């Protein structure tokens, strides 16, 4: 099945470069391009892409507001947002994850990494494993701020012990295969635990499940270094 991608970036040349790269993959196609956040929201509603490749810093409505706008619409619940930024440790990235983004990549990544990232979020997984992301989570997602938590901590009681265990390991950046090896179960079993946890906690995807793990105190942020 072809992965349908919406590009949102205010730089025309960069959008053209991304389009050439994505359209060159036989399993992907660019369905639309947006030059600002408001246009991204409108085009996401029109085309219902699988993935929105979203820049943060755009004139007018920026990528943060656009991410929140897309992820807040029930009819766009299947649309995944992948943040592209030159500011990998920017607090704005953490805000985007809280708003529902499925992960982020730096604009300096190679073509193969970008295409793999699109596939990852299109499949419903989070792009949260790099050490830079873990540091970002430690700095911002686990500290008090003006953003309300995604769910009440007491809702963790809805999870089984094994679901909480899997959720905690996912929050530490472990992949399904790594969690499966650690718990001596199959990756499919891990995916089932993750899916049930998302349903019980009302998480949009795995990225929000990780945010909830930190915000609820299930996992404590580790000091940098």
């Amino acid at each position: 099945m072809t992965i349908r991608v919406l590009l949102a970036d205010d730089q025309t040349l960069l959008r053209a470069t991304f389009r050439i790269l994505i359209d060159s993959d036989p399993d992907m196609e660019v369905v639309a391009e947006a030059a600002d956040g408001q246009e991204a929201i409108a085009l996401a509603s029109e085309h219902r892409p699988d993935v929105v490749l979203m820049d943060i810093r755009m004139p007018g409505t920026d990528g943060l507001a656009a991410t929140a706008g897309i992820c807040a619409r029930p009819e766009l619940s299947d649309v995944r947002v992948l943040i592209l930024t030159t500011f990998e440790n920017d607090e704005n990235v953490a805000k985007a994850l809280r708003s529902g983004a499925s992960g982020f990549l730096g604009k300096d990544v190679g073509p193969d990494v970008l295409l793999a990232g699109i596939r990852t979020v299109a499949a419903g997984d989070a792009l949260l494993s790099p050490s830079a992301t873990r540091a970002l989570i430690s700095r911002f997602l686990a500290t008090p701020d003006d953003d309300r938590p995604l769910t009440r901590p007491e809702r963790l009681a809805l999870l089984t012990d094994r679901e909480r265990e899997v959720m905690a390991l996912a929050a530490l950046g472990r992949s399904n295969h790594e969690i499966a090896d650690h718990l001596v179960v199959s990756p499919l079993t891990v995916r089932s635990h993750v899916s049930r946890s998302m349903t019980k906690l009302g998480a949009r995807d795995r990225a929000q499940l990780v945010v909830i793990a930190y915000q609820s105190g299930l996992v404590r942020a580790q000091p940098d270094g």
Side-chain angles (χ1 to χ4, degrees):
M1 188 173 74
T2 301
I3 299 173
R4 305 171 69 253
V5 181
L6 166 64
L7 301 177
D9 196 297
D10 62 321
Q11 298 183 48
T12 304
L13 181 59
L14 199 55
R15 291 200 313 272
T17 301
F18 287 146
R19 174 182 279 275
I20 292 171
L21 172 63
I22 293 169
D23 283 345
S24 70
D25 189 295
D27 297 324
M28 298 184 191
E29 67 171 332
V30 174
V31 296
E33 298 181 23
D36 60 52
Q38 194 59 47
E39 189 177 14
I41 296 172
L43 290 174
S45 296
E46 178 182 350
H47 294 279
R48 308 289 177 90
D50 300 300
V51 177
V52 179
L53 206 56
M54 182 79 75
D55 184 28
I56 286 183
R57 300 182 185 278
M58 294 184 287
T61 302
D62 64 15
L64 290 176
T67 297
I70 291 170
C71 295
R73 299 191 178 193
E75 69 273 19
L76 300 180
S77 61
D78 291 333
V79 177
R80 300 288 178 252
V81 178
L82 176 58
I83 299 293
L84 273 180
T85 177
T86 54
F87 303 91
E88 290 195 28
N89 290 319
D90 195 332
E91 182 179 4
N92 289 336
V93 176
K95 291 180 178 178
L97 292 177
R98 292 191 191 102
S99 297
S102 294
F104 78 94
L105 286 172
K107 284 187 175 180
D108 58 349
V109 300
D112 291 344
V113 174
L114 177 60
L115 295 176
I118 293 172
R119 290 191 188 92
T120 296
V121 298
D125 292 327
L127 206 60
L128 295 174
S129 58
S131 58
T133 309
R134 290 197 293 270
L136 181 144
I137 289 173
S138 297
R139 288 177 58 195
F140 299 114
L141 296 187
T143 55
D145 55 28
D146 294 333
D147 293 324
R148 51 183 188 173
L150 294 178
T151 192
R152 294 181 178 276
E154 55 267 25
R155 286 184 62 84
L156 289 181
L158 296 173
L159 305 183
T160 65
D161 290 342
R162 180 47 62 93
E163 286 167 352
R164 282 193 292 273
E165 188 176 15
V166 168
M167 180 177 170
L169 290 169
L172 294 175
R174 305 273 187 94
S175 68
N176 284 353
H177 284 280
E178 290 171 335
I179 296 172
D181 288 344
H182 180 77
L183 299 178
V184 195
V185 297
S186 72
L188 181 59
T189 297
V190 172
R191 182 177 287 274
S192 295
H193 287 312
V194 169
S195 178
R196 286 197 295 268
S197 298
M198 289 191 299
T199 298
K200 290 179 180 179
L201 298 177
R204 177 184 175 88
D205 60 11
R206 189 186 182 103
Q208 286 204 337
L209 198 66
V210 170
V211 175
I212 292 170
Y214 281 94
Q215 288 185 331
S216 66
L218 178 66
V219 175
R220 300 293 182 183
Q222 300 298 315
D224 292 343

